[in-house]
């Protein structure tokens, strides 16, 4: 077995994933599924979520950290190996959490907030 295959089976460092989107897209469900999958593989898992205005289409962020030992559920800026975004603006808003060699997976869907559709703001192009 190669070193890469061994690392994939048992990572020695804590892995950090940030999932972002807007209310109703399933960010919290996705983070729960990811956390359970990591637990089933025998990893220690800690999660953190923020969904204040989610019911009104507001921003939702969930952080999942897993590894042999996880000391905190919080992902520091610039340290996430993966940023998964289900909405483009949310990807931009939380891009600072991704480390320089990290992977960003961004849905091309744009969900126009009420502030834009009412003319009070402009959606970035």
């Amino acid at each position: 077995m190669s070193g890469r295959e061994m690392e994939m089976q048992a990572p020695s460092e804590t892995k950090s994933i940030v999932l972002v989107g807007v209310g109703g897209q399933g960010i919290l469900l996705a983070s729960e599924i990811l956390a359970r999958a990591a637990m089933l593989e025998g990893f220690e898992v800690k999660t953190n979520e923020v969904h204040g205005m989610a019911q009104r289409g507001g921003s939702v962020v969930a952080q999942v950290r897993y590894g042999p030992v996880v000391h905190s559920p919080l992902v520091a800026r610039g340290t996430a190996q993966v940023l998964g975004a289900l909405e483009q603006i949310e990807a931009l808003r939380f891009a600072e959490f991704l480390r320089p060699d990290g992977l960003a997976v961004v849905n091309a869907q744009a969900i126009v907030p009420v502030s834009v559709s009412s003319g009070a703001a402009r959606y970035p192009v």
Side-chain angles (χ1 to χ4, degrees):
M1 183 178 311
S2 74
R4 176 74 175 144
E5 289 171 329
M6 288 175 61
E7 181 183 333
M8 288 175 69
Q9 286 185 347
S12 60
E13 70 174 307
T14 299
K15 302 296 183 191
S16 298
I17 300 170
V18 177
L19 302 174
V20 300
V22 297
Q25 287 190 299
I27 293 296
L28 301 181
L29 177 61
S31 70
E32 184 178 330
I33 291 169
L34 184 59
R36 287 184 186 211
M39 283 190 287
L40 288 171
E41 287 298 313
F43 294 110
E44 183 173 322
V45 179
K46 292 201 178 5
T47 64
N48 178 40
E49 58 191 48
V50 177
H51 52 92
M53 294 296 289
Q55 291 180 349
R56 295 192 176 151
S59 185
V60 178
V61 60
Q63 299 175 341
V64 179
R65 301 190 72 225
Y66 70 93
V69 176
V70 180
H71 297 290
S72 170
L74 300 177
V75 177
R77 286 175 170 80
T79 65
Q81 284 90 351
V82 177
L83 171 67
L86 295 182
E87 202 282 328
Q88 295 176 35
I89 292 298
E90 297 306 317
L92 289 173
R93 187 184 322 247
F94 291 96
E96 66 186 351
F97 282 89
L98 191 62
R99 70 187 201 183
D101 64 340
L103 171 67
V105 180
V106 181
N107 184 0
Q109 180 181 22
I111 298 176
V112 179
V114 174
S115 60
V116 172
S117 61
S118 69
R122 191 174 66 83
Y123 194 89
V125 183

